[in-house]
Amino acid sequence: MSGPQSVDRALALLDAVADAPGPLSAKALARRVGCSLSTVYHLLGSLTARAYLIRGPDGYALGPRVPSLHRSFQRHLGAGAAVAALLPHVRRTTGAEVYFTAYRGGRITVIDTTAPLTDTQHPFAPGLETRAHATAHGKALLASLSRAARRRYLADHGMARLTERTITDEERFEAELASVRERGVAVSVGEADPAYTCLAVPLPSRPDHALSVSLPLEDFRRRRGEISSLLTLAAAAFPTASE
């Protein structure tokens, strides 16, 4: 087997291992990917040789090449030393979990966060953002796009109803984004997750990036103005890409 089908199946194996709670055997991977065991062994050999996977007594797990890919991913999307310093600073000043998000190539991605990676219950995690219409960072980034680009994004990704507060009507969403542009701050009150509110501001020096925080609803009600000001100040101080 060679060509695009081989690449696609190798990536499917990598995804299956990444999504699993623990190591997976070759037989389990063959069932998940839907191909023969001999094919799986062939592809696993290449993935382990390149250190994308490792083979242990309980099966296959992610290998040491993966963290370096993540670091390169962050660097390519603008999360360098400035972001590494910014996020914990905002975490200390606001007392809320912090996120750095980017719009690139028609997709919105959470690049980095102060939320512990081991907290699997946290509703916002690094990776592709599929709920941009319901999150503050998604609104902040979509508000900076042209109407045509925004329509393409929503056509590609949809506006699923996630909670009773989620905005799913395009015209109402446009009005919401007009308010975001006017205020300079995007807010999502229980739209992506009923237990959380998030606030976001675009970075003046990098309009395709956003800085955001998430916090429980009660904290938001008490500290909305304070946190909005802290976020705005932090974003304004962020250096340009050339600095």
Side-chain angles (χ1 to χ4, degrees):
M1 180 181 60
S2 61
Q5 186 181 39
S6 178
V7 173
D8 187 63
R9 285 180 171 172
L11 292 174
L13 287 172
L14 193 59
D15 284 341
V17 173
D19 292 341
L24 291 173
S25 68
K27 288 182 178 180
L29 285 166
R31 288 194 298 270
R32 293 195 181 202
V33 175
C35 60
S36 70
L37 187 58
S38 61
T39 296
V40 166
Y41 273 123
H42 172 73
L43 296 173
L44 289 173
S46 296
L47 290 168
T48 54
R50 291 176 175 270
Y52 290 104
L53 297 178
I54 55 173
R55 183 179 182 180
D58 298 321
Y60 292 86
L62 293 179
R65 175 66 176 138
V66 174
S68 64
L69 284 178
H70 180 60
R71 288 192 295 271
S72 296
F73 165 75
Q74 291 180 313
R75 185 176 67 254
H76 290 173
L77 286 179
V83 174
L86 175 67
L87 267 59
H89 167 72
V90 177
R91 176 70 176 84
R92 288 191 299 271
T93 58
T94 64
E97 300 297 357
V98 191
Y99 311 84
F100 187 70
T101 309
Y103 173 87
R104 187 73 59 85
R107 294 178 177 178
I108 291 176
T109 305
V110 179
I111 304 170
D112 203 359
T113 176
T114 59
L117 296 180
T118 54
D119 184 2
T120 57
Q121 300 303 311
H122 198 77
F124 309 106
L128 183 64
E129 178 58 85
T130 60
R131 308 161 298 174
H133 65 292
T135 64
H137 48 255
K139 292 179 184 180
L141 293 169
L142 291 173
S144 67
L145 301 180
S146 67
R147 179 75 183 263
R150 209 160 35 244
R151 281 179 168 168
R152 286 195 298 272
Y153 180 90
L154 295 176
D156 289 342
H157 299 277
M159 300 180 71
R161 182 173 297 282
L162 304 170
T163 75
E164 63 179 12
R165 293 177 176 268
T166 307
I167 299 174
T168 59
D169 176 77
E170 187 175 340
E171 290 306 315
R172 185 182 166 202
F173 190 62
E174 282 297 320
E176 172 77 1
L177 297 189
S179 179
V180 170
R181 289 189 290 271
E182 180 179 350
R183 297 191 310 259
V185 178
V187 180
S188 169
V189 182
E191 294 176 43
D193 185 286
Y196 283 85
T197 290
C198 46
L199 296 87
V201 294
L203 298 182
S205 61
R206 304 186 194 180
D208 55 350
H209 292 75
L211 182 67
S212 62
V213 298
S214 70
L215 63 163
L217 182 57
E218 289 304 317
D219 290 348
F220 165 75
R221 288 171 173 163
R222 289 188 297 105
R223 305 180 58 217
R224 175 175 181 169
E226 173 196 357
I227 290 179
S228 295
S229 296
L230 289 169
L231 266 183
T232 301
L233 287 171
F238 194 78
T240 63
S242 60
E243 291 181 293

Coordinates of all heavy atoms in Angstrom, one line a residue, residues 34-66:
G34 N -10.1 0.3 10.7 CA -10.9 -0.4 9.7 C -10.0 -1.0 8.6 O -10.4 -0.9 7.4
C35 N -8.8 -1.5 8.9 CA -8.0 -2.1 7.9 C -7.3 -3.3 8.5 O -7.4 -3.6 9.7 CB -6.9 -1.1 7.4 SG -5.8 -0.5 8.6
S36 N -6.6 -4.1 7.6 CA -6.0 -5.3 8.1 C -4.9 -5.2 9.1 O -4.2 -4.1 9.1 CB -5.5 -6.1 6.8 OG -4.3 -5.4 6.4
L37 N -4.7 -6.2 9.9 CA -3.6 -6.2 10.9 C -2.3 -6.0 10.2 O -1.4 -5.3 10.8 CB -3.7 -7.5 11.7 CG -2.8 -7.5 13.0 CD1 -3.0 -6.3 13.9 CD2 -3.0 -8.8 13.7
S38 N -2.0 -6.7 9.1 CA -0.7 -6.6 8.4 C -0.5 -5.2 8.0 O 0.7 -4.7 8.1 CB -0.7 -7.5 7.2 OG -1.7 -7.2 6.3
T39 N -1.5 -4.5 7.5 CA -1.3 -3.1 7.1 C -1.0 -2.2 8.3 O -0.1 -1.3 8.3 CB -2.6 -2.6 6.4 OG1 -2.8 -3.3 5.2 CG2 -2.5 -1.1 6.1
V40 N -1.7 -2.5 9.4 CA -1.5 -1.7 10.6 C -0.1 -1.9 11.1 O 0.6 -0.9 11.5 CB -2.5 -2.1 11.7 CG1 -2.1 -1.6 13.1 CG2 -3.9 -1.5 11.4
Y41 N 0.4 -3.1 11.1 CA 1.8 -3.4 11.6 C 2.8 -2.6 10.7 O 3.8 -2.1 11.1 CB 2.1 -4.8 11.6 CG 1.7 -5.5 12.9 CD1 0.9 -6.6 12.9 CD2 2.3 -5.1 14.1 CE1 0.5 -7.3 14.1 CE2 1.9 -5.7 15.3 CZ 1.0 -6.8 15.3 OH 0.7 -7.4 16.4
H42 N 2.5 -2.6 9.4 CA 3.4 -1.9 8.4 C 3.5 -0.4 8.7 O 4.6 0.2 8.8 CB 2.9 -2.1 7.0 CG 3.6 -1.3 6.0 ND1 4.9 -1.6 5.6 CD2 3.2 -0.2 5.3 CE1 5.3 -0.7 4.7 NE2 4.3 0.1 4.5
L43 N 2.3 0.2 9.0 CA 2.3 1.6 9.2 C 2.8 1.9 10.6 O 3.5 3.0 10.8 CB 0.8 2.1 9.1 CG 0.3 2.0 7.7 CD1 -1.2 2.4 7.7 CD2 1.0 2.9 6.7
L44 N 2.5 1.1 11.6 CA 3.1 1.3 13.0 C 4.6 1.3 13.0 O 5.2 2.0 13.7 CB 2.5 0.3 13.9 CG 1.0 0.4 14.3 CD1 0.6 -0.8 15.1 CD2 0.8 1.7 15.0
G45 N 5.1 0.4 12.1 CA 6.6 0.4 12.0 C 7.2 1.7 11.6 O 8.2 2.1 12.2
S46 N 6.6 2.3 10.6 CA 7.1 3.7 10.2 C 6.9 4.7 11.2 O 7.8 5.5 11.5 CB 6.3 4.1 8.9 OG 6.6 3.2 7.8
L47 N 5.7 4.7 11.9 CA 5.4 5.7 12.9 C 6.3 5.6 14.1 O 6.8 6.6 14.7 CB 4.0 5.6 13.4 CG 2.9 6.1 12.3 CD1 1.5 5.7 12.7 CD2 3.0 7.6 12.1
T48 N 6.7 4.3 14.5 CA 7.6 4.1 15.7 C 9.0 4.5 15.3 O 9.8 5.0 16.1 CB 7.5 2.7 16.2 OG1 7.7 1.8 15.2 CG2 6.1 2.4 16.8
A49 N 9.4 4.1 14.0 CA 10.7 4.4 13.6 C 11.0 5.9 13.6 O 12.1 6.4 13.9 CB 11.0 3.9 12.2
R50 N 10.0 6.7 13.3 CA 10.1 8.2 13.3 C 9.8 8.8 14.7 O 9.7 10.0 14.8 CB 9.2 8.8 12.2 CG 9.7 8.5 10.8 CD 8.7 9.0 9.8 NE 9.3 8.8 8.4 CZ 10.0 9.7 7.8 NH1 10.3 10.9 8.4 NH2 10.5 9.5 6.6
A51 N 9.5 8.0 15.7 CA 9.2 8.4 17.1 C 7.9 9.1 17.3 O 7.7 9.8 18.3 CB 10.4 9.2 17.6
Y52 N 7.0 9.0 16.3 CA 5.7 9.5 16.5 C 4.9 8.6 17.5 O 4.0 9.1 18.2 CB 4.9 9.6 15.2 CG 5.4 10.7 14.3 CD1 6.2 10.4 13.2 CD2 5.2 12.1 14.6 CE1 6.7 11.4 12.4 CE2 5.7 13.1 13.7 CZ 6.5 12.7 12.6 OH 7.0 13.7 11.8
L53 N 5.2 7.4 17.5 CA 4.6 6.4 18.5 C 5.7 5.6 19.1 O 6.9 5.5 18.6 CB 3.7 5.4 17.7 CG 2.4 6.0 17.1 CD1 1.7 4.9 16.4 CD2 1.5 6.8 18.0
I54 N 5.4 5.0 20.3 CA 6.3 4.1 20.9 C 5.5 2.8 21.3 O 4.3 2.9 21.5 CB 6.9 4.6 22.2 CG1 5.8 5.1 23.2 CG2 7.9 5.8 21.9 CD1 6.4 5.5 24.6
R55 N 6.2 1.7 21.3 CA 5.6 0.4 21.6 C 6.0 0.0 23.0 O 7.2 -0.2 23.3 CB 5.9 -0.6 20.6 CG 5.2 -1.9 20.8 CD 5.6 -3.0 19.7 NE 4.8 -4.2 19.9 CZ 5.0 -5.3 19.1 NH1 5.8 -5.2 18.1 NH2 4.3 -6.4 19.3
G56 N 5.0 -0.2 23.9 CA 5.3 -0.7 25.2 C 4.6 -2.0 25.5 O 3.9 -2.6 24.6
P57 N 4.7 -2.5 26.7 CA 4.1 -3.8 27.0 C 2.5 -3.8 26.9 O 1.9 -4.8 26.7 CB 4.5 -4.0 28.5 CG 4.9 -2.7 29.0 CD 5.4 -2.0 27.8
D58 N 1.9 -2.6 27.0 CA 0.4 -2.5 26.9 C 0.0 -2.1 25.5 O -1.3 -1.9 25.3 CB -0.1 -1.6 28.0 CG 0.2 -2.0 29.4 OD1 0.1 -3.3 29.6 OD2 0.6 -1.2 30.2
G59 N 0.9 -1.8 24.6 CA 0.5 -1.4 23.3 C 1.2 -0.1 22.9 O 2.3 0.2 23.4
Y60 N 0.6 0.6 21.9 CA 1.2 1.8 21.3 C 0.7 3.1 22.0 O -0.5 3.2 22.3 CB 0.9 1.8 19.8 CG 1.6 0.7 19.1 CD1 1.0 -0.5 18.9 CD2 2.9 0.9 18.5 CE1 1.7 -1.6 18.3 CE2 3.5 -0.1 17.8 CZ 2.9 -1.3 17.7 OH 3.6 -2.3 17.0
A61 N 1.7 4.0 22.2 CA 1.3 5.3 22.8 C 2.1 6.4 22.0 O 3.0 6.1 21.2 CB 1.8 5.3 24.3
L62 N 1.8 7.6 22.3 CA 2.4 8.7 21.6 C 3.9 8.7 21.9 O 4.3 8.4 23.0 CB 1.8 10.0 21.9 CG 0.3 10.3 21.5 CD1 -0.2 11.6 21.9 CD2 0.2 10.2 19.9
G63 N 4.7 9.1 20.9 CA 6.2 9.1 21.1 C 6.8 10.5 21.3 O 6.1 11.5 21.3
P64 N 8.1 10.5 21.5 CA 8.8 11.8 21.8 C 8.8 12.8 20.7 O 9.2 14.0 21.0 CB 10.2 11.3 22.2 CG 10.4 10.0 21.5 CD 9.0 9.4 21.5
R65 N 8.4 12.4 19.5 CA 8.4 13.4 18.4 C 7.2 14.4 18.6 O 7.2 15.5 18.2 CB 8.3 12.7 17.1 CG 8.1 13.6 15.9 CD 9.4 14.5 15.6 NE 9.2 15.2 14.4 CZ 9.6 16.5 14.3 NH1 10.1 17.1 15.3 NH2 9.4 17.1 13.1
V66 N 6.2 13.9 19.3 CA 4.9 14.7 19.4 C 5.1 16.0 20.1 O 4.7 17.1 19.6 CB 3.8 13.9 20.0 CG1 2.6 14.7 20.2 CG2 3.5 12.7 19.1

